[in-house]
């Protein structure tokens, strides 16, 4: 089966993410949504954003890349076709989608449902999507909202231009509203 890694948004693997996996499975994919910050805490039953950010703020990108590698390896041993690997993610997971498409040369396609593209480098988040454009191994479709104040349009435009300058097949679509 073609494998799709489904990367959670900041709220963890909640019912919507599980439903995305179910819908992909019904369409013929092996879909996996690993709990990518389970080591730092369980945010699935938390509604306080400060508490959620406290957990998510402790999650290193290197850990996430390793966990996604482990999920794709598990899939390959359990009915997934390692030659047909895709990644999709929402918000927090949208950022991770871009990073993983640059990290794993086996990825064939990605869809980033919004997600931060630029940011300050830190020990836990040393690079952001804009920093890895040249390393992106597969086409990624980025889906962004023009009225989304959390992800400024100028950063989306910068990413779009960087992809074009690097000759990448990735595309970004911005929905005006």
């Amino acid at each position: 089966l073609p494998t799709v890694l489904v990367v959670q948004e900041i709220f963890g693997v909640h019912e919507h993410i599980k439903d995305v996996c179910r819908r992909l499975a019904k369409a013929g994919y092996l879909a996996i949504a690993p709990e990518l910050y389970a080591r730092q805490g369980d945010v699935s039953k938390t509604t306080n954003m400060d508490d959620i950010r406290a957990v998510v703020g402790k999650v290193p990108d290197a850990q996430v890349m390793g966990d996604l590698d482990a999920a794709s390896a598990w899939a390959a041993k359990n009915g997934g076709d390692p030659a047909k690997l895709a990644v999709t993610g929402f918000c927090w997971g949208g950022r991770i989608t871009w990073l993983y498409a640059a990290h794993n040369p086996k990825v064939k396609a990605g869809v980033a449902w919004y997600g931060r593209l630029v940011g300050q480098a830190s020990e836990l988040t040393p690079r952001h999507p804009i920093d890895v454009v040249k390393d992106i191994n597969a086409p990624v479709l980025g889906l962004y909202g023009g009225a989304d104040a959390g992800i400024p349009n100028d950063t989306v435009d910068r990413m779009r231009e960087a992809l074009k300058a690097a000759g990448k097949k990735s595309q970004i679509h911005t929905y005006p509203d």
Side-chain angles (χ1 to χ4, degrees):
L1 298 170
T3 301
V4 180
L5 301 175
V6 179
V7 185
Q8 67 211 31
E9 56 191 339
I10 195 171
F11 305 106
V13 180
H14 53 71
E15 196 53 43
H16 176 255
I17 299 301
K18 293 174 186 178
D19 186 54
V20 169
C21 286
R22 281 189 290 270
R23 288 183 282 149
L24 286 167
K26 285 181 182 180
Y29 297 88
L30 192 161
I32 304 169
E35 295 271 359
L36 293 170
Y37 28 83
R39 290 178 194 86
Q40 286 75 23
D42 179 6
V43 300
S44 67
K45 296 172 183 59
T46 304
T47 58
N48 182 298
M49 281 305 295
D50 290 335
D51 293 341
I52 292 170
R53 284 188 189 103
V55 170
V56 177
K58 296 175 187 172
V59 180
D61 287 346
Q63 172 186 302
V64 174
M65 297 301 114
D67 287 350
L68 291 173
D69 286 344
S72 65
W74 179 90
K77 293 176 183 172
N78 290 278
D81 183 344
K84 295 179 180 178
L85 176 63
V87 60
T88 189
F90 301 83
C91 199
W92 182 88
R95 175 182 173 272
I96 297 300
T97 296
W98 290 104
L99 294 178
Y100 197 67
H103 166 80
N104 187 339
K106 295 178 183 175
V107 171
K108 300 298 183 208
V111 178
W113 299 84
Y114 46 101
R116 194 167 40 116
L117 298 166
V118 303
Q120 289 291 100
S122 72
E123 184 179 336
L124 298 180
T125 58
R127 299 190 320 164
H128 296 280
I130 195 83
D131 303 320
V132 300
V133 166
K134 291 180 183 170
D135 300 323
I136 293 174
N137 299 297
V140 176
L141 174 61
L143 301 171
Y144 290 83
D148 184 349
I151 303 166
N153 287 319
D154 68 313
T155 65
V156 176
D157 293 338
R158 284 176 48 204
M159 184 69 172
R160 186 180 285 117
E161 288 303 314
L163 291 164
K164 183 179 177 183
K168 298 298 177 176
K169 294 181 181 178
S170 298
Q171 297 179 9
I172 294 178
H173 182 78
T174 301
Y175 293 90
D177 298 323

